[in-house]
Amino acid sequence: MSKDLRFIVKAWEATVRKTHIGGKKRANPLFTTMSVAPADDEPGETYHAEKVLANGDFYTGQWVDSYAHGQGKYLWTDGCMYVGEWQKGKTTGKGKFSWPCGATYEGDFKNGFMDGKGTYTGSCGDTYRGSWVMNLRYGQGTKSFVNGDCYEGDWRRGLQDGHGRYQWKNGNHYIGEWRNGMIHGSGTMIWSNGNRYDGSWEEGLPKGNGKFRWADGSFYVGVWSKESKDQNGTYYPADSSGGHVDWDPQEVFPVDLNDCKLCPVQTISIFPSQKLLNWPGMEGEFLNKPPIYKNGSEGNARPRRPSDARASNYSRGSNCDSTLDGNIGLEGSVARHHKFRVLPMKKQGITIAKGHKNYELMLNLQLGIRHSVGRPAPTTSLDLKTSAFDPREKVWTKFPPEGSKYTPPHQSCDFKWKDYCPVVFRTLRKLFKVDPADYMISICGNDALRELSSPGKSGSFFYLTNDDRYMIKTMKKAEVKVLLRMLPAYYNHVRAFENTLVTKFFGLHCVKLTGTAQKKVRFVIMGNLFCSEYAIHRRFDLKGSSLGRTTDKPEAEIDATTTLKDLDLNYIFRLQKVWFQEFCRQVDRDCDFLEQERIMDYSLLIGLHFREASCKDPLATPDRTSGVRTPTGNGDPDNDGTPRVSKGELDRLLSDPNRWASIRLGINMPAWAERTVRRTDCESQLVGEPTGDLYDVILFFGIIDILQDYDISKKLEHAYKSFQYDPTSISAVDPKQYSRRFRAFIFRVFVEDT
């Protein structure tokens, strides 16, 4: 570098440094050369480089081939700066990122994200020290707010969630449970004057059973609510003086809690993973390209690790129909923003139009739901009375074609409608944050339902709403009895565990046709696990058994809508540490619940979206001889009906804090799928041997079919099949054994990404 250029760079660097308000003394931009362990693809020689990049950015540090690798500093023209470790062009390892406003993050990085242990100091002086996962506070951490407040405890998705302690500057403090950044659950509030409240909280306020105690020992015990009509309790004085007998418990809400306002968590304007890195020779390159194998040839499967294939080796051009629209920085690589087109997805099932054999049944169902949801009802607390769960708690309504005092006229046949435990299911919808108007429009709007082409193994039929949000399943009388029997335990379970993986039930109903037929159709309304903007490329239904656990479809008919089974599975799924731990805890809780309710034969339904398949990269049909299903370039992607979203666009969406904050356990979860291969000498091997080939995927999963109890028919099935097959390979086993086998299998399929 010439002396003049060095002078310009130094002057520019000094200007950037001045924009960092209250910044510390800058680090030395020159680093000593360090040896780099050879990777699988044998990178070139490491040397020190100083580069003024095409867009005006500046990099100084260690360099290998065409990217930063080792220690280095990157200065953006907008004043942002990163100093620390690099791996093949991405910020990975220990480092420090600073913003022009004066905010800094110092700690672990992974693939461009703040990920691991680190400290964020805001421009106003607030700090967070603790765990991070892909730019969000996640795990154990301590937050010191600029006003003097402090929180120490669990974080999830960037907010306080779990167990934690909040200390106010005035001396008040709260110890207990949190949810989505608010006090929620069981906890204790202690005021600086010695008063305290122990009990239940809901969205920052006392709600449910609780006790308020004064410093003199007197206390008030009862049910708490901000609505005075719902609150009642008893006052117990410390002595005969009476003390606070005239005290109104409603004073707690406007008076005592007035000094207990939570300080909001400061948001980060732009994340390091969203910054453009304009390496030499990379201008105009797209991210969504076929991978390169070590011999230099292009392939359709991913390499062993995404970082193994250097961006400089990628061929120019894009498989997507796109238009350049400016530079967007994505995960430490250069990309162009693609204007992509989204083709309409192929809808599963057959639309129930006029003339369909179940057209009138659909009309009856929609009329009944509209009546049930739209019927005025008093506001209920989440603490339901035992009587609400009584199986005899049901409401019959007649729907004559000419209409009645309570029902509108309609064009369907005369029928009767039954709501089972309406108060419970209305409260469940509230618990699951289902808006009544949206729920009614999804099921009862102008769009018809769709019937899936074939019934399930149980003989039940499935219907989907047009927006794919809800699935309606017809039920046998025995299944209805099981659901009503376990409804109290189910309600308590889903209320206690927000991230439960078990099926979400929204309503249980029955249509009874009048006349000579007297036919009864019972059905339950559930959430559709695969309602997403991402195309589901593969579906697996896993039980942990091997007998009959393979798809019976001919190879040519297997597509993205086919549900594959245990012996078709050819992946293990790698989750980040915090999510893997949460996954294990929740599977254990859910299996314990199902075991206690004597439920068996349930399964884990998994949907995979392959991010590399989003741009003209559909998946191949199964090769049954090897048990491997891998992405290929076969087929006509313009006609397969899946959305066309570029890899770069998906990276941008996933790095968006709002999108990332919407990720839940089992919903929109980024992960790695590692391909496996089964041994040819072991036909019943459930989990194959890992190959090291990894695919970047988004996962959807949940536990379904939870209404089969271990009744006499299942006991006979177990006894009969045990004479013919290995008893451990069949599905029908005792709930305790089923739970143990299911967990053992699932914890081999899902592993921690190390």
Side-chain angles (χ1 to χ4, degrees):
M1 183 180 289
S2 67
K3 292 183 178 179
D4 291 340
L5 184 56
R6 284 180 184 273
F7 176 77
I8 293 172
V9 169
K10 295 295 183 183
W12 176 85
E13 189 180 59
T15 302
V16 170
R17 188 170 68 254
K18 290 177 182 179
T19 65
H20 292 256
I21 302 172
K24 298 179 181 179
K25 185 177 180 181
R26 68 182 180 90
N28 189 342
L30 302 179
F31 298 93
T32 57
T33 304
M34 60 179 286
S35 60
V36 179
D40 292 340
D41 50 1
E42 295 296 333
E45 182 182 355
T46 300
Y47 63 94
H48 182 83
E50 294 184 356
K51 295 181 180 291
V52 178
L53 305 175
N55 63 346
D57 295 349
F58 175 70
Y59 172 80
T60 177
Q62 292 178 297
W63 194 262
V64 175
D65 294 340
S66 59
Y67 47 75
H69 191 82
Q71 289 283 346
K73 174 195 284 189
Y74 194 106
L75 299 159
W76 285 268
T77 54
D78 64 359
C80 291
M81 179 172 64
Y82 171 80
V83 180
E85 297 177 354
W86 298 77
Q87 284 189 18
K88 300 182 180 179
K90 291 187 179 182
T91 53
T92 298
K94 299 288 185 182
K96 180 178 181 178
F97 189 95
S98 54
W99 287 262
C101 63
T104 61
Y105 168 83
E106 188 167 4
D108 296 331
F109 286 82
K110 185 177 180 181
N111 292 328
F113 291 92
M114 299 182 289
D115 198 304
K117 299 289 185 182
T119 299
Y120 175 83
T121 303
S123 57
C124 299
D126 58 314
T127 61
Y128 169 83
R129 295 180 177 86
S131 298
W132 298 74
V133 172
M134 295 188 77
N135 294 331
L136 293 182
R137 303 167 183 89
Y138 210 123
Q140 281 286 322
T142 300
K143 172 79 175 176
S144 298
F145 296 92
V146 67
N147 67 349
D149 294 354
C150 180
Y151 170 84
E152 182 178 2
D154 296 330
W155 296 75
R156 287 186 178 85
R157 298 175 292 276
L159 296 172
Q160 300 99 321
D161 198 306
H163 190 275
R165 174 193 175 98
Y166 193 101
Q167 178 82 40
W168 282 268
K169 183 181 179 180
N170 59 16
N172 301 342
H173 66 273
Y174 168 83
I175 304 173
E177 296 177 354
W178 296 72
R179 181 184 293 180
N180 295 330
M182 301 184 73
I183 295 173
H184 192 106
S186 298
T188 298
M189 178 78 75
I190 301 177
W191 284 266
S192 56
N193 61 9
N195 296 346
R196 63 183 289 163
Y197 169 83
D198 299 88
S200 298
W201 298 76
E202 187 174 306
E203 297 183 349
L205 298 174
K207 185 69 177 290
N209 294 317
K211 177 169 68 174
F212 190 95
R213 181 186 295 272
W214 284 267
D216 62 7
S218 57
F219 59 93
Y220 172 93
V221 178
V223 176
W224 291 74
S225 174
K226 193 172 184 181
E227 301 295 329
S228 57
K229 61 183 178 63
D230 297 328
Q231 179 160 334
N232 62 79
T234 304
Y235 172 75
Y236 296 89
D239 50 37
S240 59
S241 61
H244 311 275
V245 68
D246 295 329
W247 171 79
D248 182 359
Q250 285 293 298
E251 291 181 11
V252 168
F253 297 94
V255 179
D256 295 85
L257 293 176
N258 189 50
D259 295 331
C260 299
K261 305 293 185 184
L262 298 177
C263 191
V265 177
Q266 185 182 11
T267 58
I268 298 173
S269 58
I270 186 169
F271 294 121
S273 59
Q274 295 174 300
K275 295 295 293 179
L276 172 69
L277 292 167
N278 201 20
W279 298 127
M282 295 291 292
E283 296 81 6
E285 289 289 330
F286 297 140
L287 288 177
N288 49 341
K289 303 174 184 66
I292 306 299
Y293 291 116
K294 294 177 186 177
N295 61 8
S297 63
E298 291 188 6
N300 294 307
R302 297 268 322 257
R304 288 182 178 266
R305 285 276 182 186
S307 58
D308 284 350
R310 292 194 297 272
S312 59
N313 288 337
Y314 278 50
S315 62
R316 290 187 175 272
S318 170
N319 288 333
C320 288
D321 182 15
S322 58
T323 305
L324 298 183
D325 189 30
N327 291 332
I328 299 287
L330 302 171
E331 289 197 11
S333 299
V334 171
R336 295 284 185 177
H337 181 209
H338 299 69
K339 284 185 178 178
F340 54 89
R341 55 194 177 98
V342 178
L343 301 179
M345 289 185 65
K346 284 183 177 178
K347 297 283 189 180
Q348 274 189 283
I350 302 168
T351 301
I352 305 176
K354 198 165 186 177
H356 190 284
K357 64 178 181 178
N358 288 325
Y359 180 71
E360 284 198 346
L361 178 63
M362 180 191 72
L363 293 181
N364 298 345
L365 187 153
Q366 292 178 324
L367 284 165
I369 294 293
R370 190 178 292 116
H371 172 75
S372 298
V373 178
R375 183 172 55 214
T379 303
T380 58
S381 166
L382 295 180
D383 296 314
L384 297 179
K385 297 179 180 179
T386 306
S387 59
F389 297 94
D390 191 330
R392 293 169 295 183
E393 186 70 16
K394 49 199 173 188
V395 179
W396 278 105
T397 306
K398 291 184 179 180
F399 279 82
E402 67 275 10
S404 68
K405 182 179 178 180
Y406 303 103
T407 62
H410 58 87
Q411 299 178 350
S412 184
C413 60
D414 189 7
F415 70 96
K416 291 177 70 177
W417 172 265
K418 182 197 290 187
D419 279 324
Y420 294 91
C421 299
V423 174
V424 177
F425 285 102
R426 190 186 311 124
T427 312
L428 279 171
R429 293 194 293 271
K430 177 183 175 182
L431 190 66
F432 294 138
K433 296 179 174 58
V434 174
D435 181 77
D438 291 341
Y439 182 72
M440 193 186 303
I441 291 171
S442 291
I443 302 174
C444 314
N446 295 327
D447 297 313
L449 302 177
R450 303 194 313 276
E451 183 181 73
L452 298 189
S453 55
S454 60
K457 186 178 178 182
S458 64
S460 299
F461 283 86
F462 293 86
Y463 304 92
L464 281 172
T465 57
N466 189 66
D467 59 8
D468 286 331
R469 286 188 180 184
Y470 303 105
M471 180 173 285
I472 301 166
K473 175 188 176 185
T474 62
M475 301 179 72
K476 295 178 180 178
K477 187 176 181 179
E479 290 179 308
V480 172
K481 287 183 176 180
V482 171
L483 179 54
L484 292 175
R485 186 204 75 205
M486 64 186 287
L487 193 56
Y490 172 83
Y491 179 82
N492 291 331
H493 182 76
V494 298
R495 184 182 176 188
F497 304 112
E498 181 187 21
N499 290 328
T500 179
L501 298 175
V502 298
T503 305
K504 290 180 170 61
F505 295 122
F506 301 117
L508 182 61
H509 312 282
C510 175
V511 170
K512 181 180 180 182
L513 304 180
T514 58
T516 56
Q518 294 286 305
K519 180 182 178 183
K520 285 185 179 180
V521 181
R522 303 169 183 87
F523 55 90
V524 66
I525 301 175
M526 308 176 290
N528 179 19
L529 192 61
F530 296 153
C531 178
S532 168
E533 68 268 36
Y534 300 114
I536 303 299
H537 297 121
R538 274 291 173 264
R539 302 162 192 256
F540 293 96
D541 181 277
L542 307 177
K543 293 186 176 182
S545 57
S546 58
L547 182 61
R549 298 300 295 162
T550 184
T551 183
D552 54 2
K553 272 191 174 184
E555 183 176 318
E557 295 181 15
I558 293 178
D559 57 20
T561 64
T562 303
T563 301
L564 303 169
K565 300 180 182 178
D566 300 62
L567 293 179
D568 303 311
L569 179 67
N570 58 300
Y571 299 103
I572 59 174
F573 305 108
R574 297 190 175 277
L575 302 179
Q576 288 200 357
K577 181 178 180 179
V578 291
W579 275 327
F580 176 71
Q581 292 173 345
E582 190 172 337
F583 171 79
C584 293
R585 285 195 298 266
Q586 196 56 54
V587 168
D588 280 333
R589 292 165 180 159
D590 291 340
C591 286
D592 286 342
F593 158 68
L594 296 172
E595 183 181 325
Q596 289 165 9
E597 294 301 309
R598 300 289 295 167
I599 301 296
M600 43 79 68
D601 215 25
Y602 46 87
S603 55
L604 186 74
L605 183 64
I606 305 175
L608 282 75
H609 171 85
F610 288 84
R611 295 177 67 195
E612 289 296 323
S614 296
C615 278
K616 292 195 174 184
D617 193 11
L619 298 180
T621 55
D623 175 5
R624 293 194 176 176
T625 58
S626 64
V628 176
R629 295 165 171 81
T630 56
T632 72
N634 299 331
D636 182 4
D638 286 331
N639 297 323
D640 72 351
T642 48
R644 300 298 163 213
V645 182
S646 71
K647 169 70 160 57
E649 181 68 13
L650 281 171
D651 283 337
R652 187 175 69 82
L653 290 174
L654 283 177
S655 64
D656 176 28
N658 294 325
R659 175 60 55 91
W660 189 251
S662 69
I663 295 172
R664 297 290 186 271
L665 185 66
I667 302 173
N668 290 341
M669 290 194 66
W672 293 108
E674 182 173 3
R675 190 156 56 88
T676 60
V677 177
R678 289 183 177 81
R679 300 196 307 270
T680 55
D681 60 341
C682 185
E683 294 183 1
S684 61
Q685 184 186 12
L686 286 177
V687 181
E689 304 296 332
T691 63
D693 292 332
L694 291 159
Y695 300 87
D696 198 355
V697 299
I698 297 172
L699 290 180
F700 301 82
F701 52 82
I703 298 175
I704 63 170
D705 295 337
I706 63 170
L707 298 179
Q708 178 60 63
D709 63 349
Y710 195 54
D711 57 13
I712 186 63
S713 63
K714 287 296 178 181
K715 292 178 181 178
L716 291 173
E717 179 185 343
H718 173 77
Y720 173 73
K721 289 184 177 180
S722 296
F723 284 113
Q724 299 173 292
Y725 309 102
D726 179 1
T728 62
S729 69
I730 60 180
S731 294
V733 294
D734 176 85
K736 185 171 290 188
Q737 182 183 346
Y738 191 95
S739 171
R740 185 166 55 249
R741 184 182 65 187
F742 178 82
R743 286 187 238 199
F745 173 61
I746 294 302
F747 292 151
R748 291 177 62 199
V749 173
F750 286 81
V751 297
E752 181 182 338
D753 182 21
T754 56

